[in-house]
Amino acid sequence: MYQRIFKAFILIFALVITSGNATAQRKSKKNNAVETKDPINTTPKLVVGIVVDQMRYDYLTRFWNHYENGGFKRMVNEGFNCKNNHYNYAPTNTGPGHTSVYTGTTPATHGVISNNWYDKATGTSVYCASDDSYNSVGTTSDAGKMSPHRMQTTTITDELRLHTQMRGKTIAIAIKDRGAVLPGGHTANAAYWFDGNTAGNWITSTYYMNELPKWVADFNSEKSVAKYKKPWTTLKPINTYVESVMDNNAYEGLFKGETAPTFPHDFPKLWEENGSYDILKSSPYGNSLTTDFALAAVDGEGLGADAIPDFLAVSYSSTDYAGHKFGVDSKEIQDTYIQLDRDLARLFSALDKKVGVGEYTVFLSADHAANPVPAYLKDKKVLTTIFDRKVMLEELNEYVKFTYGTTDLIKNISNNQIFLDHDVVKNLDMNLKDVQENLAAEILGYKAIDHVYTAYQMWQNDYTRGIPHLIQNGYNEKRSGDVIYVQKPNTMSYSSTGSSHGSPYIYDTHTPLLFFGKGIKNGSTVARTEIPDIAATMAALLGISFPSGTTGKPIVEVLD
């Protein structure tokens, strides 16, 4: 009897052990499956960063029915659309915009406070990408004397290069030098920009190399850009462009030699009077030649050819030139975006073949948006304000001379900022804070001014919302001025034609943000996202270090 009980016990024990082993094996397989399904990072063969200069978010929706399936629609339908994306600082200009996209932070940290700014250390105006310590490559002019040395933090392109021990390549391309130099970061293999006029060549700086690679020299020598010396006609019948104002109106600028801002624009006839190849910059053809060169770079540099991720940074500058000349409601802008859509489709189709479908990741945004032409708004009974900067300066100088007995107190006024001579303030035994506040109070009384802030306010306060928050994010203690003023919305300050930008208002801050490709979910969000989030999101996707000054956060909804 005891033997039977003992055998039964042994049998039950064996069954328990077997069952436990089976359970453990199932758990082990499940854990292994989770690890395989949820890798720690995503490694596309190529990352493509696209910045469309002066693109408003509503260009996606206004022109949607004119777009084809391979460009903007492909990004939206297959990728992720952040519908409520904004710049979280001012001024909203090209240099700071490109820098903020790629550094994941704002001018307060990365230091690029505008395209040009007054340098307090030297007492001169400096350009965001200029650097006289380097020479031009590909031209005998000074157009190539550029570097990213004024940018104080690393970029997502830098971090990818460092993460791969410099084995991954970074190539940056734009018609504007700053649209290539700043996105390329400090470690780019190359940044190229377009030297127009009679040359029509792509050039660079000795910061990157001492001579052009063979593929660039060949591209320039082929003069393929010459095919764009043709009339600018609309891609589709102009009568279908009902999303824009009439073609002939008073709100658009003219090319030299034109008597009306109407299609077709006869580029061969206007060629020499408008700087030869420079005229292409203000048309869709500038975006097309940028795409041509970007595709040549993919081949020439072998981008995306192996498992080590490369980075192609492409900025489309012609949208900004066209916006400044014709305005955001013009048929020229509409046609520029319809033709850009085709260029994007051409780019993505080529990458499908060269890199592989699902093997590359793309983000697309803008360096700022733009306001409607104030003169147009005024005619539509929308409240606008005329700002005459010359009159303001005269009134301010009179105030300063009357109050302090000298105009030497002000060293510079630029980018809506007043720079004081601190030595004069000290020598006159004045309190700097008091002087700043007195000037602020004076300026606030001017009709076209809506807000004024002092450097002391920027130092002492931590603004978390509204206009002062945006101003503070754009304020760099080493580089910004003593008094910062903000004009009223829809202010006309430079011309009665064309659109501009730079303000903290929503028409300048609301830009598209699209993600597409490997590691990206399909969907959209209307939750607020901000420009510094782009670099943070890409760093999280790639599993690499965030740029050194990052203040943005990964957009978790985007990542697959």
Side-chain angles (χ1 to χ4, degrees):
M1 178 179 178
Y2 289 111
Q3 288 180 339
R4 289 197 300 271
I5 294 173
F6 180 76
K7 289 180 179 179
F9 176 79
I10 293 297
L11 180 61
I12 292 170
F13 181 78
L15 289 171
V16 170
I17 293 298
T18 303
S19 176
N21 287 338
T23 301
Q25 289 176 359
R26 286 196 298 272
K27 287 183 177 179
S28 177
K29 289 180 180 179
K30 184 176 181 182
N31 289 339
N32 287 337
V34 170
E35 290 176 6
T36 302
K37 184 179 178 182
D38 188 21
I40 197 169
N41 65 326
T42 300
T43 52
K45 292 181 178 179
L46 178 65
V47 179
V48 182
I50 299 174
V51 176
V52 183
D53 204 323
Q54 202 188 118
M55 184 174 182
R56 292 163 54 103
Y57 176 80
D58 67 350
Y59 290 156
L60 275 180
T61 55
R62 269 177 60 198
F63 309 142
W64 182 259
N65 292 333
H66 292 274
Y67 294 146
E68 299 184 352
N69 292 326
F72 288 118
K73 282 187 174 180
R74 182 178 179 186
M75 294 197 75
V76 171
N77 292 334
E78 297 181 23
F80 199 93
N81 181 9
C82 298
K83 299 179 179 180
N84 188 22
N85 183 65
H86 292 271
Y87 273 86
N88 62 337
Y89 69 83
T92 41
N93 290 324
T94 298
H98 281 81
T99 308
S100 298
V101 167
Y102 281 86
T103 61
T105 189
T106 66
T109 301
H110 63 60
V112 180
I113 62 172
S114 192
N115 295 335
N116 300 274
W117 65 86
Y118 176 74
D119 182 14
K120 292 188 281 190
T122 62
T124 60
S125 178
V126 296
Y127 175 59
C128 60
S130 65
D131 192 341
D132 287 339
S133 59
Y134 294 96
N135 294 315
S136 302
V137 177
T139 178
T140 57
S141 74
D142 290 339
K145 302 182 76 169
M146 305 287 166
S147 88
H149 74 110
R150 300 191 198 280
M151 183 167 55
Q152 297 177 331
T153 63
T154 63
T155 60
I156 188 67
T157 46
D158 287 329
E159 296 300 337
L160 185 56
R161 287 272 286 157
L162 294 169
H163 183 80
T164 62
Q165 296 300 307
M166 313 303 275
R167 292 176 297 164
K169 288 185 177 180
T170 291
I171 305 295
I173 294 166
I175 281 182
K176 294 181 181 179
D177 47 48
R178 57 186 179 272
V181 171
L182 300 171
H186 303 277
T187 62
N189 297 82
Y192 300 103
W193 50 97
F194 189 65
D195 185 24
N197 211 314
T198 58
N201 289 330
W202 291 91
I203 66 170
T204 189
S205 161
T206 53
Y207 178 86
Y208 306 100
M209 62 192 74
N210 291 320
E211 62 180 7
L212 294 175
K214 183 177 184 302
W215 71 266
V216 179
D218 289 345
F219 188 95
N220 286 338
S221 64
E222 289 168 3
K223 285 299 175 190
S224 59
V225 295
K227 65 186 176 184
Y228 297 113
K229 185 180 179 181
K230 60 182 181 179
W232 176 9
T233 58
T234 56
L235 185 65
K236 297 184 177 184
I238 195 169
N239 62 357
T240 66
Y241 288 11
V242 296
E243 296 80 7
S244 305
V245 298
M246 67 179 70
D247 191 27
N248 193 4
N249 60 74
Y251 315 117
E252 301 176 16
L254 300 170
F255 288 112
K256 293 179 181 178
E258 286 188 326
T259 57
T262 56
F263 282 103
H265 298 284
D266 192 348
F267 282 1
K269 181 179 179 181
L270 303 169
W271 193 254
E272 292 184 5
E273 196 172 356
N274 289 273
S276 300
Y277 285 105
D278 282 339
I279 197 173
L280 301 180
K281 296 177 180 179
S282 300
S283 78
Y285 302 149
N287 294 328
S288 296
L289 67 89
T290 300
T291 306
D292 295 342
F293 190 70
L295 291 175
V298 172
D299 288 336
E301 297 291 344
L303 300 180
D306 56 31
I308 302 171
D310 298 319
F311 206 116
L312 175 64
V314 182
S315 294
Y316 287 107
S317 306
S318 291
T319 43
D320 183 71
Y321 287 110
H324 280 297
K325 181 171 286 292
F326 299 105
V328 305
D329 293 294
S330 64
K331 294 193 186 303
E332 281 80 3
I333 271 293
Q334 180 165 357
D335 189 65
T336 296
Y337 277 89
I338 292 171
Q339 296 206 43
L340 173 61
D341 179 65
R342 286 206 173 181
D343 282 314
L344 291 174
R346 182 161 62 98
L347 175 64
F348 298 152
S349 178
L351 293 178
D352 287 343
K353 296 175 183 177
K354 298 174 186 294
V355 182
V357 177
E359 294 297 332
Y360 60 93
T361 304
V362 183
F363 68 79
L364 181 150
S365 192
D367 55 352
H368 51 76
N371 65 302
V373 181
Y376 169 72
L377 293 179
K378 184 178 181 181
D379 285 350
K380 300 303 177 183
K381 299 182 180 179
V382 176
L383 183 64
T384 61
T385 304
I386 297 175
F387 175 53
D388 190 327
R389 187 172 181 273
K390 183 179 179 181
V391 171
M392 173 190 160
L393 294 180
E394 291 175 353
E395 292 179 356
L396 185 60
N397 279 329
E398 288 181 9
Y399 168 81
V400 170
K401 187 172 183 179
F402 176 80
T403 306
Y404 299 104
T406 177
T407 57
D408 294 338
L409 188 65
I410 297 177
K411 294 188 73 173
N412 180 267
I413 301 177
S414 56
N415 294 312
N416 288 7
Q417 299 182 37
I418 298 173
F419 295 80
L420 298 176
D421 190 324
H422 290 199
D423 289 335
V424 172
V425 172
K426 185 177 180 180
N427 290 338
L428 294 177
D429 199 26
M430 295 185 292
N431 181 281
L432 180 61
K433 175 176 175 290
D434 292 341
V435 176
Q436 291 175 352
E437 290 179 347
N438 289 341
L439 287 176
E442 168 67 15
I443 295 170
L444 189 58
Y446 297 163
K447 179 181 177 182
I449 305 302
D450 217 21
H451 306 276
V452 186
Y453 305 95
T454 67
Y456 186 83
Q457 287 177 296
M458 296 293 107
W459 299 338
Q460 296 299 314
N461 298 304
D462 183 16
Y463 298 107
T464 59
R465 64 176 64 184
I467 299 296
H469 173 64
L470 274 64
I471 298 299
Q472 190 166 53
N473 281 341
Y475 182 85
N476 185 279
E477 293 181 26
K478 288 281 191 177
R479 295 180 173 178
S480 297
D482 292 274
V483 179
I484 308 99
Y485 57 89
V486 180
Q487 296 161 201
K488 289 184 177 180
N490 300 318
T491 298
M492 185 189 301
S493 61
Y494 77 105
S495 174
S496 60
T497 61
S499 291
S500 192
H501 51 83
S503 82
Y505 298 116
I506 203 163
Y507 51 70
D508 282 341
T509 68
H510 190 193
T511 59
L513 176 54
L514 305 176
F515 294 90
F516 160 71
K518 189 168 186 178
I520 303 300
K521 284 182 180 178
N522 180 220
S524 65
T525 182
V526 293
R528 182 181 173 93
T529 59
E530 297 179 337
I531 285 296
D533 297 338
I534 298 173
T537 302
M538 295 307 298
L541 180 143
L542 294 165
I544 65 176
S545 294
F546 286 32
S548 59
T550 300
T551 52
K553 298 178 181 178
I555 307 169
V556 296
E557 298 94 335
V558 168
L559 302 179
D560 189 2

